[in-house]
Amino acid sequence: MHVFFMTLIERKSFMSKSNIRLVTVALLLANVMSGIDSTIVNTALPAIIADLHGLQLMAWIVAVFLLGTAVSTLLWSKLGQRRSYKFAYQLAALTFVIGSLLQGLSPNIWLLIITRGIAGIDNGGMISLPYIMFVDLYPNVRDRMKTLALVSGFYSFATIIGPLVGGFLVDALSWHWIFYINVPIGLLSILLVQIYYKVPRSAPVAAPLDVRGSVALVVLLISLLGAIEMIGMVKLPVILGLVVVAVLAMVLLLRTEKHAKDPVIPLRVFRNFPLVMDFLLFTLVWGAFVAFLTYAPMWAQGLLGTTALVGGATQIPAAFTNVAGSESVPMMRRHYTPHQVLTFNIVLLTISFVLMAVLNVHAPFWLLLVAGAFEGWGNGACFNELQVKVQVDAEEQDVSVATSFSFLIRMLSQTFTVAIFGLLMNQQLAKGVASHPGITMGMMNKLSDSNSAASLPKKLLPAMREILHSGLHNIMLLALALMLISLVLNLYAGRKEASLKTRAQ
């Protein structure tokens, strides 16, 4: 019997409650590392570029990490299935620690980008495998939901302190230490898992490794995400070429997975109606969420003239309400169905984007905080409910791949919607600049920074803010549309799933 599908009696014979708590702490430490890493680097980028040079390559420091994470997620899941999730997690965490050390030691921008990509690959396993391991640690759905609320809390806390820690380390020591800080945290996590995660040896998988499918998946993701990341950076034929490669890789992947004995992505998961609806809802909700995460600080700085610190404070209410929303799900599930819980919280998310869509250029800062509070609660609750629902809706043999795929879906949604939002913004900026001869794109770039904005002509600031507002307004309208579509889809899925259960009975 595979370790992942142990019965409750078997599990208790291997792990005590105290062991489970300590392993949970270890896995939460991985979440903290990932949360800090996702925000701390942005703070240190100016210092890194000043030291290593390569301003034109700055975007790749962030992009290559996300690319590595997305590409590797399902492969780490497959490794866990074939060996053990304990082994896969420890390997991912150890190589992430090594990657962090190498990033800190990088003598030039190229080596930093390469080691950043390696760390991204390891990050794919380090943050996705714990969600699979939580299924084994917490077979009771409500207990697992409570643990996922902790995950949200730790991640939110890490993203808040990340910029602060990054700023302190860069000022007090050097940018190298933003990477070194991961080393002791990662080693402690690995040690706790090694000592306290007691699981029986799993039987070896007899089926051959799906090498062809794995390669096709990697090529598909690299070409697809590369095309998205390069929009606006390279000429159109390059983008189209990458899209063609992605399509060909997808065709090869589909053909391969039909006949593979141990496919990297079993196609049967896409014939599971409730599971497909979960994936689609994750895609829509996460795409809308990214709009607020990315552009609320710009709203505060560019339209209201706040500092970067105050602009970043737009995320603080969301960080706290995200935890509260996630904590509310186990209690709501005592009285309501999963889709009823989702409907309530999708409505809260929708309210957030209704507020953002109707705010004018002179709207007060506190309304951004209110919108953030609604966004945080709705997103935290939807994430908790959908993550557990994915694991409940999947067939027992597909729980791990469905869990990893739900993470990949969020990564793809985030990457794609950020690119679309960027295109919307650029289109409105170009249109606004063209209709105001005295305003240039260079001047618009300075508007979102309080220091550089002070050098702009005061008489042009109202017009420039109107131009920026038009771009932000369109982005929030698109996010609102995504939320309305998700609301309709959730209502449809709830009725359809209820109908399927009635027929089965």
Side-chain angles (χ1 to χ4, degrees):
M1 180 180 295
H2 196 282
V3 59
F4 188 69
F5 305 119
M6 288 188 294
T7 65
L8 182 59
I9 294 176
E10 289 172 319
R11 183 181 293 103
K12 284 183 175 178
S13 67
F14 280 94
M15 294 186 68
S16 64
K17 287 184 178 180
S18 61
N19 281 14
I20 290 174
R21 292 193 194 100
L22 288 168
V23 172
T24 301
V25 169
L27 300 180
L28 289 174
L29 287 175
N31 206 41
V32 169
M33 275 196 296
S34 179
I36 290 177
D37 196 273
S38 66
T39 55
I40 199 172
V41 172
N42 294 332
T43 306
L45 276 177
I48 293 173
I49 297 303
D51 185 22
L52 302 182
H53 310 296
L55 179 62
Q56 70 277 14
L57 298 172
M58 183 176 70
W60 283 101
I61 296 175
V62 177
V64 75
F65 184 81
L66 294 175
L67 182 62
T69 300
V71 166
S72 65
T73 299
L74 285 170
L75 302 182
W76 283 111
S77 170
K78 183 56 64 176
L79 176 63
Q81 282 182 322
R82 298 182 70 87
R83 290 291 302 270
S84 76
Y85 292 103
K86 177 179 181 177
F87 170 80
Y89 172 78
Q90 288 182 301
L91 179 61
L94 179 60
T95 48
F96 182 83
V97 166
I98 295 172
S100 296
L101 184 62
L102 292 176
Q103 287 175 82
L105 294 172
S106 296
N108 58 64
I109 193 71
W110 288 107
L111 189 57
L112 176 62
I113 290 174
I114 292 170
T115 54
R116 188 83 181 136
I118 293 171
I121 292 172
D122 306 326
N123 185 62
M126 192 179 67
I127 60 175
S128 64
L129 290 172
Y131 292 110
I132 302 172
M133 296 163 76
F134 286 142
V135 179
D136 184 51
L137 293 172
Y138 300 96
N140 181 279
V141 171
R142 287 198 183 120
D143 289 341
R144 199 184 318 153
M145 285 180 168
K146 292 176 182 177
T147 304
L148 289 179
L150 283 176
V151 172
S152 294
F154 272 70
Y155 190 83
S156 297
F157 174 73
T159 56
I160 291 173
I161 68 168
L164 302 176
V165 172
F168 170 77
L169 291 175
V170 170
D171 292 338
L173 299 170
S174 71
W175 64 264
H176 306 270
W177 285 90
I178 70 166
F179 300 113
Y180 295 154
I181 193 176
N182 289 326
V183 175
I185 300 174
L187 292 177
L188 176 59
S189 177
I190 294 167
L191 183 63
L192 288 174
V193 169
Q194 177 62 32
I195 296 172
Y196 297 107
Y197 192 33
K198 306 294 184 183
V199 291
R201 290 185 177 274
S202 57
V205 178
L209 181 65
D210 182 17
V211 176
R212 191 175 178 182
S214 299
V215 172
L217 175 66
V218 169
V219 173
L220 167 62
L221 292 174
I222 289 177
S223 53
L224 178 61
L225 291 172
I228 295 172
E229 290 285 351
M230 291 182 185
I231 292 176
M233 298 171 58
V234 298
K235 293 181 179 180
L236 182 60
V238 177
I239 303 296
L240 293 177
L242 288 171
V243 171
V244 170
V245 172
V247 171
L248 293 175
M250 180 180 289
V251 172
L252 176 61
L253 178 64
L254 292 175
R255 288 183 176 179
T256 302
E257 300 308 87
K258 283 182 180 179
H259 307 291
K261 293 182 179 179
D262 184 27
V264 65
I265 306 180
L267 298 184
R268 60 180 174 269
V269 300
F270 303 110
R271 294 191 289 268
N272 182 329
F273 176 81
L275 193 56
V276 171
M277 290 297 103
D278 298 339
F279 292 152
L280 289 175
L281 287 171
F282 251 140
T283 302
L284 293 167
V285 170
W286 219 253
F289 151 72
V290 169
F292 188 90
L293 179 69
T294 306
Y295 290 99
M298 182 182 290
W299 190 301
Q301 294 174 66
L303 300 185
L304 304 181
T306 70
T307 63
L309 180 62
V310 175
T314 57
Q315 306 300 313
I316 292 177
F320 286 103
T321 57
N322 183 290
V323 179
S326 189
E327 289 277 7
S328 73
V329 173
M331 294 181 288
M332 293 186 71
R333 281 297 306 276
R334 294 175 184 173
H335 309 287
Y336 303 103
T337 66
H339 283 289
Q340 288 172 333
V341 173
L342 284 171
T343 297
F344 176 77
N345 289 289
I346 288 174
V347 168
L348 293 184
L349 263 170
T350 304
I351 290 172
S352 171
F353 290 105
V354 167
L355 279 172
M356 296 301 294
V358 300
L359 292 182
N360 61 34
V361 70
H362 304 294
F365 181 76
W366 65 267
L367 281 177
L368 293 180
L369 301 182
V370 172
F374 277 103
E375 179 272 321
W377 185 291
N379 188 67
C382 285
F383 167 77
N384 195 331
E385 180 58 67
L386 281 172
Q387 187 62 76
V388 173
K389 193 172 184 300
V390 162
Q391 296 169 340
V392 172
D393 289 339
E395 294 181 21
E396 186 173 323
Q397 59 187 330
D398 297 328
V399 170
S400 60
V401 70
T403 302
S404 295
F405 191 77
S406 69
F407 180 82
L408 176 59
I409 280 288
R410 298 197 298 276
M411 291 286 298
L412 293 175
S413 176
Q414 175 179 336
T415 305
F416 183 72
T417 50
V418 164
I420 296 301
F421 294 151
L423 289 175
L424 280 178
M425 175 61 75
N426 292 338
Q427 182 184 40
Q428 285 302 119
L429 292 180
K431 182 179 178 181
V433 168
S435 61
H436 293 80
I439 299 174
T440 66
M441 192 64 76
M443 294 168 65
M444 292 300 304
N445 288 332
K446 292 182 178 180
L447 185 61
S448 60
D449 180 76
S450 59
N451 294 323
S452 59
S455 64
L456 295 171
K458 291 186 177 180
K459 64 179 182 179
L460 294 178
L461 285 178
M464 294 175 66
R465 284 174 175 152
E466 288 291 348
I467 294 172
L468 180 60
H469 177 263
S470 65
L472 293 170
H473 177 70
N474 284 353
I475 288 170
M476 296 306 166
L477 281 178
L478 178 55
L480 175 58
L482 292 176
M483 289 314 308
L484 291 174
I485 293 171
S486 68
L487 180 60
V488 173
L489 183 67
N490 179 60
L491 292 172
Y492 165 73
R495 291 179 181 178
K496 183 73 173 179
E497 289 177 30
S499 174
L500 290 174
K501 287 181 180 178
T502 302
R503 291 179 189 174
Q505 293 173 355

